[in-house]
Amino acid sequence: MLKLLTAAQSREAERYTIENEPIESSELMERASHAFVKIFIDRFPDRKKSVLIFCGRGNNGGDGLAISRLLFDEGYQQIQTYIADFSENSSQDFELNLERLQEKDVSIFYLKQAADLDFYNADFVIDALFGSGLNRPLQGEYRELVKKMNQLSAYKVSVDVPSGMPCEGEFADAVIVKSDFVVTFQRPKLNFLLPISGPYIKDWKVANIGLDENYIQSTPSPYYWLWKGGVQRFIKARQPFEHKGLLGHVLIVAGAKETLGAALICTEACVKAGAGLTSAMIPSSGLTALNTRLPEAMYFNREDLSDADFEKYSVVAIGPGLGTHEEALGLLKQILNGFKKPMVIDADAINLLSKHPELLQMVPEHSVFTPHMKEFDRLFGTHNSWWQRIETARRQAKELKAFIVLKNRYTMIFSPGGICYFNSSGSPAMASGGMGDALTGIIASLISQGYEVEKAIQLAVFSHGYAGEQLAQSMLVVPATALIKNMPQVLKELLPK
């Protein structure tokens, strides 16, 4: 998996690369600017479009000046470059790129105050005021300039980070450039992966600028980027003499009379992700639906639970559509009393544990909790920010010796070892009912097939998102049933060629 870095660690990676490649800082800036321009041209190839570029006097502004020059060289003729001239201080690389730009036929304007900016109808605004080095809210004229930039109707593209946004940690202020697209360097910034960035970033892309990867991967960080290449290193192909008895048996405890859909979705996802055997402990009223929709699954009568032989099951998944009534609580208690292997605990099982926290001590080690934000807060207390949730999740995963899968656009996986993995796959098109039930079934299925729990979660979360991502290319909304149907093909595709 790829390490994710804080802003300070990213600057250290730049410093290390400059000293050890070796490369001049101005050359690294040129490399970054070329990477930005390539992505910009690929996405916006019409050279007739007008571009306004706003530059600070630091290195992010130096990037902006270099981008202005390079876009001009690529044939973009309608470029106007604005320098926020609110300070006498400027970086050496800014001054170098200013000299280079002055040799081109590009209009350069110096803003002595934000009020000097006249509204101009342009197609694009490129924001290069401040990069990752900013660690405080915008003040004075910079603050006023960003307010005016946000009023421009142009499509806004930020260089590395929207100006005013911290790369990690809480947002102390809301005056931040509202970007339509961000080209960020080497790694996504941590705050890009949290909903707090939503009002300020519609889309982003990472540009590799050649920082030393060995140094980055050796940097101490609890944050990792879960990506396709990472899971391809451990996904397993089926072997010639494998049979269903070697691929595990999952018991799914889910559903109530009114919420059988969640149980059926979870069960079908488990089957389609490859579990050798799947048994569904659902209300008897759902037996016909189970046999009709999913004849591959077996039925477990809840009345027989007291006589269950838990040893024959590889993993238990419990919670989707289960309800929080007394019968559901009784089922949860019986399962916790009898099953001592890792469990996947979702939805109403989490809600029951929230109401009966004394049962948490009965949850087997290396079990998996799969809450969404509200379920997480019910279980672990109310939080005022996503960074508070991250801190709590890391602490609780250690204390419970369990894994926590906090579902989101970039789902987070917290391990007992204190690691937080951000999942790279997925799409907003997956924001529909049943997606979490499907994920629970996939996680349980992969655990049953013999993957280590941590790897099973990683593969499940990534493949679940990857399946939805693929379908979203042709579907505005991806239903859980469509995603489940696509799972066998997706798992096959993820096998290394």
Side-chain angles (χ1 to χ4, degrees):
M1 304 304 164
L2 298 175
K3 285 275 182 76
L4 295 175
L5 306 180
T6 65
Q9 289 173 325
S10 295
R11 288 193 294 275
E12 282 300 304
E14 291 179 12
R15 181 195 59 76
Y16 182 90
T17 301
I18 289 168
E19 292 179 359
N20 290 275
E21 185 169 329
I23 184 174
E24 294 291 331
S25 61
S26 59
E27 294 174 1
L28 183 59
M29 182 176 287
E30 189 76 1
R31 197 153 72 188
S33 301
H34 272 283
F36 177 99
V37 167
K38 182 180 186 307
I39 291 173
F40 186 91
I41 291 174
D42 288 345
R43 186 168 286 221
F44 313 113
D46 187 351
R47 268 70 166 177
K48 296 179 181 178
K49 298 293 185 181
S50 55
V51 183
L52 304 184
I53 303 179
F54 289 88
C55 302
R57 298 191 68 94
N59 281 349
N60 195 246
D63 289 330
L65 296 173
I67 289 165
S68 180
R69 168 171 46 84
L70 294 171
L71 286 176
F72 178 82
D73 289 344
E74 289 288 343
Y76 291 81
Q77 298 296 320
Q78 296 188 65
I79 300 173
Q80 294 192 17
T81 303
Y82 288 83
I83 295 174
D85 200 19
F86 307 149
S87 168
E88 295 181 359
N89 299 322
S90 59
S91 73
Q92 184 175 348
D93 289 335
F94 170 89
E95 294 293 345
L96 175 62
N97 277 288
L98 180 58
E99 291 177 10
R100 291 174 175 174
L101 182 62
Q102 287 170 337
E103 297 173 0
K104 305 289 183 178
D105 187 20
V106 174
S107 299
I108 302 173
F109 301 92
Y110 294 83
L111 297 172
K112 295 299 181 180
Q113 56 184 4
D116 292 343
L117 177 63
D118 292 326
F119 284 96
Y120 180 82
N121 185 23
D123 296 301
F124 294 101
V125 163
I126 294 179
D127 158 38
L129 288 176
F130 290 99
S132 60
L134 188 69
N135 56 10
R136 64 184 186 280
L138 294 172
Q139 298 176 342
E141 292 298 325
Y142 293 108
R143 182 182 177 86
E144 296 306 311
L145 178 57
V146 166
K147 287 180 181 180
K148 294 200 73 170
M149 288 170 62
N150 282 337
Q151 293 176 37
L152 298 174
S153 61
Y155 188 97
K156 300 175 185 66
V157 184
S158 286
V159 181
D160 200 23
V161 184
S163 292
M165 176 183 286
C167 294
E168 64 277 336
E170 311 286 357
F171 285 21
D173 191 27
V175 179
I176 297 168
V177 170
K178 295 179 179 179
S179 298
D180 296 289
F181 183 50
V182 179
V183 179
T184 194
F185 298 140
Q186 203 70 28
R187 290 288 194 277
K189 308 305 185 272
L190 290 166
N191 271 340
F192 288 15
L193 311 177
L194 298 173
I196 51 176
S197 70
Y200 310 105
I201 302 176
K202 292 182 180 178
D203 192 13
W204 53 267
K205 187 177 179 65
V206 175
N208 188 328
I209 61 172
L211 299 186
D212 191 294
E213 279 294 333
N214 289 329
Y215 177 84
I216 292 174
Q217 288 299 102
S218 68
T219 300
S221 173
Y223 304 111
Y224 285 79
W225 187 232
L226 178 61
W227 66 300
K228 185 177 180 180
V231 299
Q232 285 184 315
R233 293 174 183 169
F234 61 77
I235 187 172
K236 298 182 291 190
R238 291 291 172 95
Q239 299 304 307
F241 292 99
E242 277 185 327
H243 54 80
K244 64 185 179 183
L246 297 176
L247 294 170
H249 190 169
V250 179
L251 176 62
I252 293 175
V253 184
K257 290 181 180 180
E258 301 82 8
T259 50
L260 277 169
L264 293 174
I265 287 172
C266 183
T267 304
E268 185 174 3
C270 184
V271 171
K272 294 291 176 63
L277 296 166
T278 304
S279 292
M281 185 186 292
I282 61 174
S284 58
S285 59
L287 179 56
T288 300
L290 180 68
N291 287 335
T292 303
R293 175 171 172 171
L294 202 60
E296 299 94 337
M298 295 176 287
Y299 170 70
F300 190 116
N301 193 326
R302 289 179 176 179
E303 295 179 1
D304 299 331
L305 180 56
S306 58
D307 299 322
D309 177 14
F310 285 114
E311 285 301 315
K312 72 178 185 180
Y313 299 106
S314 312
V315 61
V316 169
I318 184 168
L322 187 64
T324 56
H325 43 70
E326 284 300 315
E327 180 189 356
L329 178 60
L331 288 171
L332 177 61
K333 287 180 177 178
Q334 283 184 274
I335 297 293
L336 289 173
N337 275 315
F339 193 75
K340 302 305 177 185
K341 302 172 192 175
M343 298 169 57
V344 184
I345 301 170
D346 185 31
D348 283 330
I350 292 175
N351 294 331
L352 285 167
L353 289 172
S354 303
K355 295 179 179 179
H356 303 276
E358 70 279 2
L359 297 179
L360 276 171
Q361 62 185 355
M362 299 174 63
V363 175
E365 290 185 6
H366 295 102
S367 289
V368 188
F369 295 88
T370 58
H372 55 58
M373 182 189 75
K374 291 184 178 179
E375 291 165 348
F376 182 90
D377 282 7
R378 289 187 200 117
L379 186 58
F380 298 122
T382 302
H383 296 79
N384 296 320
S385 72
W386 280 93
W387 278 98
Q388 288 182 6
R389 290 187 185 94
I390 289 173
E391 292 172 2
T392 295
R394 291 185 63 207
R395 182 177 67 254
Q396 290 289 347
K398 289 181 181 180
E399 291 179 3
L400 294 170
K401 298 180 180 178
F403 296 88
I404 298 172
V405 178
L406 182 49
K407 293 177 286 195
N408 210 322
R409 169 61 184 89
Y410 300 100
T411 290
M412 291 165 270
I413 303 167
F414 299 89
S415 76
I419 299 298
C420 171
Y421 302 94
F422 286 90
N423 180 45
S424 64
S425 66
S427 165
M430 297 168 64
S432 59
M435 279 297 171
D437 306 318
L439 179 59
T440 294
I442 297 167
I443 294 172
S445 181
L446 293 171
I447 293 174
S448 79
Q449 293 172 56
Y451 286 95
E452 295 176 11
V453 176
E454 190 162 350
K455 286 185 168 56
I457 299 167
Q458 291 174 356
L459 179 55
V461 169
F462 181 84
S463 61
H464 175 266
Y466 192 62
E469 190 178 303
Q470 287 189 324
L471 291 169
Q473 295 178 21
S474 59
M475 302 171 73
L476 178 65
V477 178
V478 177
T481 49
L483 182 145
I484 293 167
K485 185 178 180 180
N486 203 35
M487 279 306 300
Q489 292 88 348
V490 163
L491 290 170
K492 176 74 172 179
E493 182 184 329
L494 288 176
L495 288 171
K497 300 297 188 285

